[in-house]
């Protein structure tokens, strides 16, 4: 028998259409393209538009325009998260049914108030890697009857992962982090630093963490190449992959393009946008020289 050939590597670039792409996006897209070409792999484009209040078709059209101008191509059809809400909900329902998710009723303002009162006493409230205070844990213990009554009464809520129960099922996960030459090491994941993460908000049918994990698995993505700002989030994604029995991709987190102030670029900074450089007469080769 002939040995089964290894699967063709699959890479993806997955922007959100909530603003214009900037030089940081250009770096990530072009590194994905280079690594896919070196591995004789495929490159997918995914539109991450679960936040329907901030995402717009004009920005999606601009994504295609900017990437095409950079000389990139991708497979069709493009996957849009907004077309797969039912799938995310089914997965959330499965986690709820396993007792791994619970409704959190506190608003951001209420959490902020609780944290401020706690820290006024001289204690420190734990925060996640992005600096946000971890969600209070009291609602983990609400009875199913109380939860159902509050939901039936119309209280807004977000579904949260019970991190303690999840880690009790999976144990501490890890992942393979590689460089652009595919040399790598196993990294110990620490998802507990994020607390009880959101799986689905009251104003969106899924969270970034849940939808990106499912999409990567369903699209057969073997290599997740993205910015260093998402390095810590990989702990959460690996935890969800283990919980949901999904394949494990390889990860590469590249350096960010920083602004003059030393901070990572933002879509609100129009002067760093790909379109602004194009309109100023720069060429795609100029962009490559800036970001690669």
């Amino acid at each position: 028998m002939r040995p089964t050939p290894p699967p063709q590597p699959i890479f993806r670039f997955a922007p959100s259409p909530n603003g214009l792409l900037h030089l940081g996006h250009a770096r990530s897209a072009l590194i994905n393209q280079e690594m896919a070409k070196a591995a004789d792999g495929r490159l997918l484009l995914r539109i991450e538009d679960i936040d329907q209040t901030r995402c717009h078709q004009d920005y999606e059209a601009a994504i295609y325009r900017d990437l095409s101008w950079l000389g990139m191509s991708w497979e069709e059809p493009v996957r849009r998260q907004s077309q797969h809400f039912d799938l995310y909900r089914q997965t959330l329902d499965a986690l709820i049914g396993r007792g791994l998710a619970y409704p959190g009723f506190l608003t951001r303002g209420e959490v902020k108030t609780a944290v401020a009162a706690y820290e006024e006493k001289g204690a420190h409230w734990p925060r996640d890697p992005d600096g946000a205070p971890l969600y209070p844990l009291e609602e983990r213990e609400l009875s199913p009857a109380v939860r159902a009554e509050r939901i039936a009464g119309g209280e807004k809520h977000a579904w949260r992962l019970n991190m303690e129960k999840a880690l009790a099922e999976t144990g501490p996960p890890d992942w393979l982090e590689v460089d652009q030459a595919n040399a790598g090491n196993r990294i110990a994941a620490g998802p507990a630093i994020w607390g009880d993460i959101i799986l689905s908000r009251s104003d969106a049918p899924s969270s970034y963490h849940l939808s990106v994990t499912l999409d990567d698995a369903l699209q057969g993505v073997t290599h997740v190449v993205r910015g260093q700002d998402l390095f810590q989030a990989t702990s959460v994604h690996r935890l969800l992959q283990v919980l949901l029995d999904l394949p494990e991709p390889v990860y590469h987190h590249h350096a960010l393009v920083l602004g003059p102030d030393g901070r990572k670029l933002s879509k609100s900074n129009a002067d760093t946008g790909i379109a602004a450089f194009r309109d100023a007469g720069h060429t795609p080769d100029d962009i490559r020289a800036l970001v690669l």
Side-chain angles (χ1 to χ4, degrees), residues 165-215:
K165 284 187 176 181
L167 284 171
E169 282 201 15
T170 66
D174 60 7
W175 78 85
L176 178 60
E177 180 76 20
V178 302
D179 59 22
Q180 283 191 241
N182 275 318
N185 297 290
R186 302 297 301 187
I187 303 293
I193 61 176
W194 292 96
D196 287 359
I197 60 163
I198 288 179
L199 297 172
S200 180
R201 304 196 312 260
S202 61
D203 59 348
S206 181
S207 69
Y208 165 74
H209 294 305
L210 181 60
S211 55
V212 74
T213 301
L214 289 171
D215 289 342

Coordinates of all heavy atoms in Angstrom, one line a residue, residues 165-215:
K165 N -14.5 24.3 35.5 CA -15.1 23.0 35.1 C -14.4 22.6 33.8 O -14.1 21.4 33.6 CB -16.6 23.1 34.9 CG -17.4 23.1 36.2 CD -18.9 23.0 35.9 CE -19.7 22.9 37.1 NZ -21.2 22.8 36.9
A166 N -14.2 23.6 32.9 CA -13.6 23.2 31.6 C -12.2 22.6 31.8 O -11.8 21.6 31.2 CB -13.5 24.5 30.7
L167 N -11.4 23.3 32.6 CA -10.0 22.8 32.8 C -10.0 21.4 33.6 O -9.1 20.6 33.4 CB -9.2 23.8 33.6 CG -8.7 25.0 32.7 CD1 -8.1 26.1 33.6 CD2 -7.7 24.6 31.7
A168 N -11.0 21.2 34.4 CA -11.1 19.9 35.1 C -11.4 18.8 34.1 O -10.9 17.7 34.3 CB -12.3 19.9 36.1
E169 N -12.0 19.1 32.9 CA -12.2 18.1 31.9 C -11.0 17.9 31.0 O -10.7 16.8 30.6 CB -13.4 18.5 31.0 CG -14.8 18.3 31.6 CD -15.9 18.2 30.5 OE1 -15.5 18.1 29.3 OE2 -17.0 18.2 30.9
T170 N -10.3 19.0 30.7 CA -9.2 18.9 29.7 C -7.8 18.8 30.3 O -7.0 18.2 29.6 CB -9.2 20.2 28.8 OG1 -8.8 21.3 29.7 CG2 -10.6 20.5 28.2
G171 N -7.6 19.2 31.5 CA -6.3 19.4 32.0 C -5.6 20.6 31.3 O -6.2 21.2 30.4
P172 N -4.4 20.9 31.6 CA -3.7 22.1 31.0 C -3.3 21.8 29.5 O -2.5 20.9 29.3 CB -2.5 22.3 31.9 CG -2.2 20.9 32.5 CD -3.5 20.3 32.7
P173 N -3.9 22.5 28.6 CA -3.5 22.3 27.2 C -2.2 23.0 26.8 O -1.7 23.7 27.6 CB -4.7 22.9 26.4 CG -5.2 24.0 27.3 CD -4.9 23.5 28.7
D174 N -1.7 22.7 25.6 CA -0.6 23.4 25.1 C -0.7 23.5 23.6 O -1.7 23.0 23.0 CB 0.8 22.7 25.5 CG 0.9 21.3 25.0 OD1 0.0 20.8 24.2 OD2 1.8 20.6 25.4
W175 N 0.3 24.2 22.9 CA 0.2 24.3 21.5 C 1.6 24.3 20.9 O 2.6 24.6 21.6 CB -0.6 25.5 21.1 CG 0.0 26.8 21.1 CD1 0.9 27.4 20.2 CD2 -0.1 27.8 22.2 NE1 1.3 28.7 20.6 CE2 0.7 28.9 21.8 CE3 -0.7 27.8 23.4 CZ2 0.8 30.1 22.6 CZ3 -0.6 28.9 24.2 CH2 0.2 30.0 23.8
L176 N 1.7 24.1 19.6 CA 3.0 24.1 18.9 C 3.1 25.5 18.2 O 2.3 25.9 17.4 CB 3.0 23.0 17.8 CG 4.3 23.0 17.0 CD1 5.5 22.8 17.8 CD2 4.2 21.9 15.9
E177 N 4.1 26.2 18.7 CA 4.4 27.6 18.1 C 5.6 27.4 17.2 O 6.7 26.9 17.7 CB 4.7 28.5 19.3 CG 5.0 30.0 18.8 CD 3.8 30.8 18.4 OE1 2.7 30.4 18.7 OE2 4.0 31.8 17.7
V178 N 5.5 27.9 16.0 CA 6.6 27.7 15.0 C 7.0 29.1 14.5 O 6.3 30.1 14.6 CB 6.2 26.8 13.8 CG1 5.8 25.5 14.3 CG2 5.1 27.5 13.0
D179 N 8.3 29.1 13.9 CA 8.7 30.3 13.3 C 8.4 30.2 11.8 O 7.7 29.2 11.4 CB 10.2 30.6 13.5 CG 11.1 29.4 13.0 OD1 10.6 28.6 12.2 OD2 12.2 29.3 13.5
Q180 N 8.8 31.1 11.0 CA 8.4 31.1 9.5 C 9.1 29.9 8.8 O 8.7 29.6 7.7 CB 8.7 32.4 8.9 CG 7.7 33.5 9.2 CD 7.9 34.7 8.3 OE1 8.1 35.8 8.9 NE2 7.7 34.6 7.0
A181 N 10.1 29.3 9.4 CA 10.8 28.1 8.8 C 10.2 26.9 9.4 O 10.7 25.8 9.1 CB 12.3 28.2 9.1
N182 N 9.1 27.0 10.2 CA 8.4 25.8 10.7 C 9.2 25.1 11.8 O 8.8 23.9 12.1 CB 7.9 24.9 9.7 CG 6.6 25.3 9.1 OD1 5.7 25.7 9.8 ND2 6.5 25.2 7.7
A183 N 10.2 25.7 12.4 CA 10.8 25.1 13.6 C 10.1 25.7 14.8 O 9.7 26.8 14.9 CB 12.3 25.6 13.6
G184 N 9.8 24.8 15.8 CA 9.0 25.2 16.8 C 9.1 24.5 18.2 O 9.9 23.5 18.3
N185 N 8.3 24.9 19.1 CA 8.3 24.4 20.5 C 6.9 24.3 21.0 O 6.1 25.1 20.6 CB 9.2 25.2 21.4 CG 10.7 25.2 21.0 OD1 11.4 24.2 21.2 ND2 11.1 26.4 20.6
R186 N 6.7 23.4 21.9 CA 5.4 23.3 22.6 C 5.3 24.4 23.6 O 6.3 24.7 24.4 CB 5.2 22.0 23.3 CG 5.2 20.8 22.4 CD 4.2 20.7 21.4 NE 2.8 20.7 21.9 CZ 1.7 20.6 21.1 NH1 1.9 20.3 19.8 NH2 0.5 20.6 21.6
I187 N 4.2 25.1 23.7 CA 4.0 26.2 24.6 C 2.9 25.8 25.6 O 1.8 25.4 25.2 CB 3.5 27.5 23.9 CG1 4.6 27.9 22.8 CG2 3.3 28.7 24.9 CD1 5.9 28.4 23.4
A188 N 3.1 26.0 26.9 CA 2.1 25.6 27.9 C 1.0 26.7 27.9 O 1.3 27.9 28.0 CB 2.7 25.5 29.2
A189 N -0.2 26.3 27.7 CA -1.3 27.3 27.6 C -1.8 27.6 29.1 O -1.8 26.7 29.9 CB -2.5 26.7 26.8
G190 N -2.2 28.8 29.3 CA -2.8 29.2 30.6 C -4.1 29.9 30.4 O -4.2 31.1 30.7
P191 N -5.1 29.2 30.0 CA -6.4 29.9 29.8 C -7.1 30.5 31.0 O -7.9 31.4 30.9 CB -7.3 28.8 29.2 CG -6.7 27.5 29.6 CD -5.2 27.8 29.7
A192 N -6.7 30.0 32.2 CA -7.3 30.5 33.4 C -7.1 32.0 33.6 O -7.9 32.7 34.3 CB -6.8 29.7 34.6
I193 N -6.0 32.5 33.0 CA -5.7 34.0 33.1 C -6.8 34.8 32.5 O -6.9 36.1 32.8 CB -4.4 34.4 32.5 CG1 -4.3 34.1 31.0 CG2 -3.2 33.7 33.3 CD1 -3.0 34.5 30.4
W194 N -7.7 34.3 31.7 CA -8.8 35.0 31.0 C -10.1 34.9 31.9 O -11.0 35.6 31.5 CB -9.0 34.5 29.6 CG -7.9 34.7 28.7 CD1 -6.9 33.9 28.3 CD2 -7.7 35.9 27.9 NE1 -6.1 34.5 27.4 CE2 -6.6 35.8 27.2 CE3 -8.4 37.2 27.9 CZ2 -6.1 36.8 26.3 CZ3 -7.9 38.2 27.0 CH2 -6.8 38.0 26.2
G195 N -10.1 34.1 32.9 CA -11.3 34.0 33.7 C -12.4 33.3 32.9 O -12.1 32.5 31.9
D196 N -13.7 33.5 33.2 CA -14.8 32.9 32.6 C -15.1 33.7 31.3 O -15.9 34.6 31.3 CB -16.0 32.8 33.5 CG -15.8 31.8 34.6 OD1 -14.8 31.1 34.7 OD2 -16.7 31.7 35.5
I197 N -14.5 33.3 30.2 CA -14.6 34.0 28.9 C -16.1 34.0 28.4 O -16.9 33.1 28.7 CB -13.7 33.4 27.9 CG1 -14.0 31.9 27.6 CG2 -12.2 33.6 28.3 CD1 -13.5 31.4 26.4
I198 N -16.4 35.0 27.6 CA -17.7 35.1 26.9 C -17.7 34.1 25.7 O -16.8 34.1 24.9 CB -17.9 36.5 26.5 CG1 -18.2 37.4 27.7 CG2 -19.1 36.6 25.5 CD1 -18.5 38.9 27.3
L199 N -18.8 33.4 25.6 CA -19.0 32.5 24.5 C -20.1 33.1 23.6 O -20.1 32.8 22.4 CB -19.5 31.1 25.0 CG -18.5 30.3 25.8 CD1 -19.1 29.1 26.4 CD2 -17.2 30.0 25.0
S200 N -21.0 33.9 24.1 CA -22.0 34.5 23.3 C -22.5 35.7 24.1 O -22.9 35.6 25.2 CB -23.1 33.5 23.0 OG -24.1 34.2 22.2
R201 N -22.6 36.9 23.4 CA -23.1 38.1 24.1 C -24.6 38.3 23.8 O -25.2 37.7 23.0 CB -22.3 39.3 23.6 CG -20.8 39.2 23.7 CD -20.2 40.6 23.5 NE -20.7 41.4 22.4 CZ -20.1 41.5 21.2 NH1 -18.9 40.9 21.1 NH2 -20.6 42.2 20.3
S202 N -25.1 39.2 24.6 CA -26.6 39.5 24.4 C -26.8 40.2 23.1 O -27.9 40.1 22.5 CB -27.1 40.4 25.5 OG -26.3 41.7 25.6
D203 N -25.8 40.9 22.5 CA -25.9 41.6 21.3 C -25.2 40.9 20.1 O -25.1 41.5 19.0 CB -25.4 43.1 21.4 CG -23.9 43.1 21.8 OD1 -23.4 42.1 22.2 OD2 -23.3 44.2 21.8
A204 N -24.7 39.7 20.3 CA -24.1 39.0 19.2 C -24.3 37.5 19.5 O -24.2 37.1 20.6 CB -22.6 39.3 19.1
P205 N -24.5 36.7 18.4 CA -24.8 35.3 18.6 C -23.6 34.4 18.9 O -23.7 33.2 19.1 CB -25.4 34.9 17.3 CG -24.7 35.8 16.3 CD -24.5 37.1 17.0
S206 N -22.4 35.0 19.0 CA -21.2 34.2 19.3 C -20.1 35.2 19.8 O -20.3 36.4 19.7 CB -20.7 33.4 18.1 OG -19.6 32.7 18.4
S207 N -19.0 34.7 20.3 CA -17.9 35.5 20.6 C -16.8 35.2 19.6 O -16.8 34.2 18.9 CB -17.4 35.1 22.1 OG -16.8 33.8 22.1
Y208 N -15.8 36.1 19.7 CA -14.6 35.8 18.8 C -14.0 34.5 19.1 O -13.7 33.7 18.2 CB -13.6 37.0 19.0 CG -12.2 36.6 18.5 CD1 -12.0 36.6 17.1 CD2 -11.2 36.2 19.4 CE1 -10.7 36.3 16.6 CE2 -9.9 35.9 18.9 CZ -9.7 35.9 17.5 OH -8.5 35.6 17.0
H209 N -13.8 34.2 20.4 CA -13.2 32.9 20.7 C -13.9 31.7 20.2 O -13.2 30.8 19.6 CB -13.0 32.8 22.3 CG -12.2 33.9 22.9 ND1 -10.9 34.1 22.5 CD2 -12.4 34.7 23.9 CE1 -10.3 35.0 23.3 NE2 -11.3 35.5 24.1
L210 N -15.2 31.7 20.4 CA -15.9 30.5 19.9 C -16.0 30.4 18.4 O -15.7 29.3 17.8 CB -17.4 30.5 20.5 CG -18.2 29.3 20.2 CD1 -17.6 28.0 20.7 CD2 -19.7 29.5 20.7
S211 N -16.3 31.5 17.7 CA -16.5 31.4 16.3 C -15.2 31.1 15.6 O -15.1 30.3 14.6 CB -17.1 32.7 15.8 OG -16.4 33.8 16.1
V212 N -14.1 31.8 16.0 CA -12.8 31.6 15.3 C -12.3 30.1 15.5 O -11.7 29.5 14.6 CB -11.7 32.6 15.8 CG1 -11.2 32.2 17.2 CG2 -10.6 32.6 14.8
T213 N -12.5 29.5 16.7 CA -12.1 28.2 16.9 C -12.9 27.2 16.0 O -12.3 26.3 15.4 CB -12.3 27.8 18.4 OG1 -11.6 28.7 19.2 CG2 -11.9 26.4 18.7
L214 N -14.2 27.4 15.9 CA -15.0 26.5 15.1 C -14.7 26.7 13.6 O -14.6 25.7 12.8 CB -16.5 26.8 15.3 CG -17.1 26.4 16.6 CD1 -18.5 26.9 16.8 CD2 -17.1 24.8 16.7
D215 N -14.5 28.0 13.2 CA -14.2 28.2 11.8 C -12.9 27.6 11.3 O -12.8 27.0 10.2 CB -14.2 29.7 11.5 CG -15.6 30.4 11.6 OD1 -16.6 29.6 11.5 OD2 -15.6 31.6 11.7

